Amino acid sequence: MINKVKIDVSKPGGKISKYIYGHFSEHLGRCIYDGLWVGRDSDIPNSNGIRRDIVEALKKIRIPVLRWPGGCFADEYHWKDGIGPGKDRIKRMNTHWGMITESNDFGTHEFFELCELLGCDAYVAGNLGSGTVLEMQDWVDYISCAKGTAMSEERKINGREEPWNLKFFGIGNENWACGGNMRPEYYADLYRRYQTYVKSYPGTSVLKIACGPNEDDYEWTDTVMKLASRHMWGLSLHYYTLLNKNFSEMGDSERFGEEEWYKIIKNTLIMDEYIKNHSKIMDKYDPEKKVALVVDEWGTWYKAVEGTNKRFLHQQNTIRDAVSASLHFNIFHQNCERVRMANLAQTVNVLQAVILTYGKSMIKTPTYHVFDLYKEHQENISIKAEHECSEYKGIPRINATASMDEKSGSIWISACNVDPFEAVDALIEISGIDEVTVTSARMLAAMEITACNTVENPENVKIREFKEFNVKKNSIALRFPPGSVITIGIN
Ligand code: AHR
């Protein structure tokens, strides 16, 4: 059989929001402290305590939005602990992630400074689980009100004259579990109440995001949409890719065999089913698709690397994670009319991180490189990509996505080969164009299924120019190496 990817330029779909390439950073393990934040006195080059090499790396992949401070941490975070002179900041226990002392050295000012350095939008997750309505109202006031309130005056005393741009505000996190163990009816009522006091001050417009379902909890979606959809910009969805559901088998992030590769690929694809089913329920209450589905936590989750604190969720990242990330993006693109934001869990040192740090060393993971390959799709119009392809254990080997940059007319095609051992010869046919010129072709591939980057070998898995293709009129013949991800740009 000839493996084919068929792309029809005359069949444009929705816009691929840049926010699909968003990130999530929590006060968890070494994500903030010893990750993004090294402190002002560190000998690691930093801007006011924020690690510069990480900022540069994230800018390169055009990070569009950063969600903070949690996660489960968000519903026990009291923002006033983290403002003012460092010595006065209140110390608390991070009860969810390892019962360690939270210094609150990294707070609202540091977070917004980080967003400004990154040139990205801010997505702040508010505390509905253990915080008051007034506390939430005051936080939004402190951040975004220009003048004339006690909160805005306090911000100025603390060194920031101008308000910050608060683009997205989440009202609670996982309120069905760590965020208060609520029933959906109860959460929907609380959501309606809390969101009333999340104000858009003159010149601002805060987009509110409600806590949505876990995985396949369709009842949660139905109830929250029925009772509260009028009051939200977005509804979140959390789905982590595990070896087995319910954390019953965690697996190792760096030592695994083909069976574990296959399970991760198979379970990644469930994301599509969940998105489609939740979208169908959302359509009932919101047929015009005004409410965005915000996949604000996604990624692979394995047991923590041996010798590290189990509650720090530190894992290695291999070419398997890169293929999983590529599948995620293809799924988000396909469903982009509803999915208008997604946030990888998490940016640095936690779960499917794009960056790992070890002292002064900073490593870009294979997942980082997939963000790099796919950044060309940000804000493009999606184009239908269909496959006719041989299968790997019941899964089509090649999984592709395509988009068009409306301004330049360039078309971008990204695809992965999910088979860890077999190369695949394929033909990409592009209808709607007579003659194709390839302007760029880049690939991520590795010799072993467990290939990863380490301090000793930080460039073991890296993007290379891809040359093994032949263009004939409107089709491109190419060979996908096993377990690879490729992005091709054409005019
Ligand atoms: O990302 C780790 C945790 O996973 C988050 O804190 C929580 O929201 C989810 O359960």
Side-chain angles (χ1 to χ4, degrees):
M1 130 179 235
I2 301 177
N3 300 300
K4 279 189 184 168
V5 176
K6 294 180 170 178
I7 288 158
D8 191 346
V9 176
S10 66
K11 286 193 184 137
K15 184 171 180 177
I16 298 169
S17 168
K18 65 178 176 182
Y19 297 118
I20 281 177
Y21 291 89
H23 285 259
F24 163 45
S25 293
E26 180 169 14
H27 289 237
L28 191 177
R30 298 195 304 113
C31 182
I32 301 289
Y33 301 111
D34 203 25
L36 287 156
W37 171 261
V38 286
R40 296 178 182 91
D41 299 332
S42 172
D43 53 6
I44 297 174
N46 67 83
S47 307
N48 250 339
I50 297 165
R51 206 174 152 142
R52 268 196 225 133
D53 52 1
I54 296 186
V55 168
E56 284 320 305
L58 293 176
K59 277 168 75 170
K60 188 163 175 265
I61 54 173
R62 299 184 203 148
I63 179 174
V65 62
L66 183 61
R67 176 176 184 247
W68 170 84
C72 293
F73 182 77
D75 281 281
E76 63 173 33
Y77 182 61
H78 301 282
W79 69 272
K80 285 191 179 170
D81 298 347
I83 55 169
K87 62 176 178 36
D88 298 339
R89 294 198 184 178
I90 290 173
K91 293 188 176 32
R92 286 190 197 265
M93 201 62 106
N94 185 334
T95 64
H96 207 84
W97 300 116
M99 288 287 177
I100 54 155
T101 302
E102 165 60 55
S103 64
N104 279 307
D105 284 344
F106 190 91
T108 304
H109 288 251
E110 290 74 20
F111 171 67
F112 278 94
E113 191 169 343
L114 170 61
C115 290
E116 286 182 343
L117 288 171
L118 293 170
C120 78
D121 284 315
Y123 172 5
V124 171
N127 177 350
L128 172 138
S130 70
T132 64
V133 176
L134 178 62
E135 198 180 346
M136 191 178 279
Q137 181 177 27
D138 279 352
W139 199 8
V140 175
D141 178 346
Y142 186 91
I143 295 168
S144 57
C145 181
K147 56 178 187 207
T149 64
M151 290 303 113
S152 59
E153 290 310 315
E154 197 172 345
R155 183 190 68 235
K156 292 176 196 197
I157 291 167
N158 287 332
R160 173 75 187 196
E161 182 65 30
E162 296 300 314
W164 292 286
N165 179 23
L166 178 61
K167 177 101 182 177
F168 302 101
F169 195 85
I171 296 164
N173 168 76
E174 297 198 349
N175 302 93
W176 30 262
C178 63
N181 287 304
M182 298 173 194
R183 294 173 309 116
E185 294 79 5
Y186 182 63
Y187 172 75
D189 281 343
L190 283 187
Y191 174 82
R192 289 167 61 126
R193 178 169 171 233
Y194 275 67
Q195 72 78 33
T196 307
Y197 304 96
V198 171
K199 300 290 183 191
S200 291
Y201 291 92
T204 74
S205 170
V206 184
L207 303 176
K208 301 171 196 175
I209 299 173
C211 166
N214 185 33
E215 303 186 348
D216 57 353
D217 186 350
Y218 301 121
E219 191 201 333
W220 184 279
T221 300
D222 198 289
T223 308
V224 174
M225 282 299 290
K226 180 163 66 201
L227 298 177
S229 56
R230 286 194 298 128
H231 305 285
M232 62 183 73
W233 174 81
L235 180 77
S236 73
L237 164 66
H238 289 184
Y239 171 57
Y240 283 96
T241 305
L242 308 163
L243 281 191
N244 267 334
K245 262 191 125 183
N246 305 326
F247 296 86
S248 57
E249 185 194 359
M250 295 305 291
D252 201 291
S253 57
E254 49 193 328
R255 280 181 296 270
F256 56 87
E258 188 191 356
E259 185 57 19
E260 289 80 24
W261 171 288
Y262 164 70
K263 281 184 179 170
I264 289 298
I265 299 304
K266 185 172 78 101
N267 292 343
T268 299
L269 294 169
I270 297 175
M271 177 65 94
D272 188 52
E273 177 191 322
Y274 290 161
I275 289 175
K276 290 209 161 67
N277 290 343
H278 287 293
S279 299
K280 228 180 261 165
I281 297 168
M282 293 173 81
D283 285 348
K284 253 192 347 185
Y285 302 102
D286 172 36
E288 290 169 33
K289 300 196 194 311
K290 285 188 187 147
V291 179
L293 187 60
V294 176
V295 188
D296 58 16
E297 290 187 27
W298 68 269
T300 51
W301 190 326
Y302 313 105
K303 69 172 189 275
V305 166
E306 255 169 55
T308 64
N309 185 327
K310 283 196 183 114
R311 296 297 287 169
F312 283 14
L313 313 185
H314 180 73
Q315 62 191 43
Q316 235 316 351
N317 194 292
T318 65
I319 189 76
R320 172 177 65 167
D321 299 294
V323 174
S324 173
S326 160
L327 292 172
H328 274 96
F329 291 139
N330 296 355
I331 293 168
F332 297 152
H333 289 185
Q334 254 177 51
N335 296 286
C336 65
E337 286 181 352
R338 190 59 94 172
V339 178
R340 300 206 281 277
M341 194 198 295
N343 307 72
L344 174 79
Q346 299 193 3
T347 321
V348 184
N349 289 334
V350 170
L351 298 176
Q352 195 179 346
V354 290
I355 285 166
L356 301 175
T357 62
Y358 302 96
K360 286 190 172 159
S361 311
M362 185 210 74
I363 291 158
K364 296 172 179 169
T365 67
T367 299
Y368 173 94
H369 294 302
V370 178
F371 274 79
D372 195 1
L373 286 174
Y374 272 70
K375 68 186 178 199
E376 308 298 349
H377 296 286
Q378 291 190 18
E379 298 287 296
N380 285 0
I381 297 297
S382 73
I383 304 171
K384 203 166 186 186
E386 288 175 322
H387 323 100
E388 278 172 20
C389 190
S390 62
E391 293 187 344
Y392 165 67
K393 295 180 176 238
I395 303 170
R397 284 196 165 82
I398 303 301
N399 190 303
T401 188
S403 73
M404 182 190 276
D405 178 336
E406 280 187 300
K407 280 189 209 126
S408 66
S410 301
I411 291 164
W412 291 92
I413 301 161
S414 293
C416 61
N417 173 10
V418 303
D419 191 319
F421 298 121
E422 294 278 322
V424 175
D425 290 311
L427 200 62
I428 302 181
E429 290 180 344
I430 303 129
S431 46
I433 300 190
D434 296 335
E435 202 120 341
V436 157
T437 309
V438 173
T439 53
S440 150
R442 302 197 305 152
M443 176 186 75
L444 193 70
M447 301 299 281
E448 290 161 3
I449 66 172
T450 54
C452 60
N453 293 335
T454 58
V455 174
E456 297 71 37
N457 198 355
E459 304 222 321
N460 184 35
V461 185
K462 65 172 186 190
I463 295 175
R464 290 162 216 272
E465 290 305 310
F466 178 65
K467 296 194 176 109
E468 295 80 46
F469 61 86
N470 282 307
V471 179
K472 250 194 211 154
K473 288 197 164 173
N474 65 344
S475 63
I476 308 168
L478 73 164
R479 168 166 280 212
F480 286 87
S484 57
V485 184
I486 295 180
T487 290
I488 296 178
I490 59 175
N491 271 337

